[in-house]
Amino acid sequence: MSSSEAVRKTETIPQWKQDEVDELTDFIERYASVGIVGVEGIPSRQLQSMRRELHGSAEVRMSRNTLVVRALEAVNDGVEQLTEHVGGQIALIGTNDNPFALFQQLEASKTPAPISAGEVAPNDIVIPEGDTGVDPGPFVGELQQIGADARIEEGSIQVLSDSTVLSAGETVDADLENVLSELGIEPKEVGLDLKSVYSEGVLFAPEELEIDIDDYRADIQSAAAAARNLSVNAEYPTAQTAPTLIAKATGEAKSVALAAAVESPDVVDDLIGKADAQVRALASEIDDPEALPEEFQDLGDDDAEEADEADDGEAEEANADDAQTDDEDEAEADDGDDDSDAGAGLDML
C-alpha cells in the first residue's frame, strides 16, 4: 500500500472511532496487566454489578471488537498478542494487580445460573440422586425422557442414581431446560470469563493462572527451606544463611578448642569450669580426705556427712520397724492371754 493510499484510508475513519481508539489506547497503557474477558450471556444489570464489585482493583472497558484490535495494535509492545482472543462478546480488563490475583477474583465473583435451550453445556449436566420433591405425575416421564434414572417411590418422584443427562460441549434442548428449571438446577456459572491476560511481557492463558494459592505458597516455603538447608550443609554463604553458618562455625571451633584445651579468651571460662569439674570428680573418688589438698578436703567431709546422714536415716527407719514389730508381738501376746482367761472362765462354768 502506498503512503497516499494509507493517508486516504486514515482520513475515512470517523472521528468518533479515532477518539474511541485513543481512549482504549490510554486504558491499555494505564494498567500493568491487561486482559480479554468474555461477557457472553451476562445480563446487563449483572454486568454492571460486577463492574462495581471490581471497582478499585480492576476496570472493565467495553467497545467494538474492531476498535479494540486497533488499540491493541497501536500500543504494540507485545500486548497486541491479545488480538487473537478478540471474538464474540468481549471486553478489555485492566488491573495493576498480578494476573493470578485477577483470575482468582474473577472466578470468585462467578455465580450459578440457569441454562437455556440452544446454549452449549460448559460441563456435564447431572441430575443428582435423591427425592425430587415433586409429586407423582407426568414429570417422572420427562425425567426418564432426558435420560434420568427416575421412578415413583414412597409417594414422590425419586432419582435412583446420579444421572448424567448431557455431556460438556453438547447443546441444551427445550425438554432439558424445562426439567432443570423444575428442579432448580443451575448448571452454569455466570461471570467475566478471562480468556487471556498480558503482564510484564508474558501472555498468560487461564489454565496457567488456575492454581491453588495456599498450595503454591506451601510449595515455595518448602523449597526455600530445602534450599537453605542445602546452602548450610554445603557451607555456601548467602545473605540468608551467613548468620547460621557463622553460628555453626563458632560452635564447632569452641568444641575443638575445649577438646584440645586451647587457651583462648573465648573459651578460658569454659576450660576452667571443665577442669574444676574433672578435679572435683576425681577428689570425690579418694577415700582419705587428708590425702587431698586443703581446698578439696571439704569435698570428702561433705561426702562423709551425706553418708552419715544416709546411715542415720537408715538406722532410724530400722528402729522404727523394730518398734513396730515389738508392738505387734505384745498385742499378739495380750490376745493370747485374753483367750486363755476366756477358756478358764468356761471351764469354771
Side-chain angles (χ1 to χ4, degrees):
M1 180 185 298
S2 66
S3 59
S4 60
E5 290 175 342
V7 171
R8 284 197 301 271
K9 184 175 180 180
T10 303
E11 290 176 350
T12 60
I13 298 176
Q15 185 59 43
W16 70 267
K17 286 188 177 181
Q18 186 59 53
D19 294 341
E20 177 67 7
V21 170
D22 291 341
E23 291 181 10
L24 292 173
T25 300
D26 292 339
F27 177 89
I28 295 169
E29 293 177 337
R30 190 161 61 247
Y31 292 104
S33 300
V34 177
I36 302 293
V37 292
V39 297
E40 186 173 357
I42 303 178
S44 177
R45 180 176 298 178
Q46 192 168 356
L47 180 59
Q48 294 301 322
S49 176
M50 291 177 182
R51 280 178 150 176
R52 286 193 296 269
E53 291 177 1
L54 291 172
H55 181 71
S57 60
E59 182 180 358
V60 176
R61 183 70 159 77
M62 300 186 68
S63 186
R64 292 189 179 185
N65 289 1
T66 54
L67 301 182
V68 171
V69 170
R70 283 180 179 272
L72 291 170
E73 292 176 342
V75 174
N76 203 347
D77 196 28
V79 75
E80 72 278 1
Q81 298 175 67
L82 289 173
T83 57
E84 60 184 270
H85 299 284
V86 177
Q89 299 179 25
I90 60 93
L92 284 171
I93 187 167
T95 181
N96 287 320
D97 207 342
N98 67 76
F100 296 93
L102 175 64
F103 178 84
Q104 295 291 332
Q105 185 178 13
L106 294 181
E107 288 299 303
S109 66
K110 291 183 177 180
T111 57
I115 196 167
S116 302
E119 290 188 67
V120 175
N123 42 51
D124 292 348
I125 297 179
V126 179
I127 306 296
E129 175 185 356
D131 189 348
T132 63
V134 180
D135 295 332
F139 187 64
V140 66
E142 297 178 21
L143 282 168
Q144 293 170 346
Q145 185 176 352
I146 65 170
D149 182 16
R151 67 182 62 181
I152 297 174
E153 286 188 355
E154 300 177 358
S156 65
I157 299 176
Q158 305 273 346
V159 177
L160 304 184
S161 62
D162 290 346
S163 303
T164 301
V165 295
L166 194 69
S167 299
E170 296 180 342
T171 303
V172 178
D173 60 23
D175 292 337
L176 180 57
E177 178 188 1
N178 292 335
V179 169
L180 295 176
S181 176
E182 179 68 24
L183 296 176
I185 296 176
E186 298 178 328
K188 72 174 184 179
E189 289 184 325
V190 173
L192 298 174
D193 186 21
L194 188 64
K195 296 181 177 295
S196 185
V197 59
Y198 183 84
S199 179
E200 298 183 356
V202 180
L203 186 69
F204 292 94
E207 54 271 18
E208 296 172 324
L209 302 173
E210 192 174 2
I211 63 173
D212 188 303
I213 299 298
D214 292 334
D215 288 346
Y216 188 75
R217 182 182 292 108
D219 290 342
I220 294 296
Q221 291 173 342
S222 176
R228 179 185 178 85
N229 291 338
L230 177 61
S231 177
V232 171
N233 293 330
E235 298 180 352
Y236 183 82
T238 66
Q240 289 74 29
T241 60
T244 303
L245 288 172
I246 293 172
K248 180 182 177 185
T250 301
E252 292 173 348
K254 187 173 183 179
S255 298
V256 171
L258 287 173
V262 176
E263 297 180 4
S264 168
D266 295 327
V267 296
V268 66
D269 292 338
D270 295 306
L271 285 173
I272 294 173
K274 179 181 177 182
D276 182 70
Q278 290 174 339
V279 170
R280 290 176 179 276
L282 180 59
S284 66
E285 298 295 328
I286 298 176
D287 297 331
D288 185 5
E290 294 182 358
L292 296 171
E294 184 177 351
E295 62 268 22
F296 291 110
Q297 290 181 4
D298 293 340
L299 292 176
D301 294 341
D302 292 341
D303 293 339
E305 290 176 3
E306 291 177 359
D308 292 341
E309 290 176 359
D311 292 340
D312 293 341
E314 291 176 358
E316 291 176 0
E317 290 179 1
N319 293 333
D321 292 339
D322 292 340
Q324 182 177 357
T325 302
D326 293 341
D327 293 341
E328 291 176 353
D329 291 341
E330 292 177 1
E332 290 177 357
D334 292 341
D335 291 342
D337 293 341
D338 292 342
D339 292 341
S340 299
D341 294 342
L346 290 173
D347 291 338
M348 293 176 65
L349 294 173

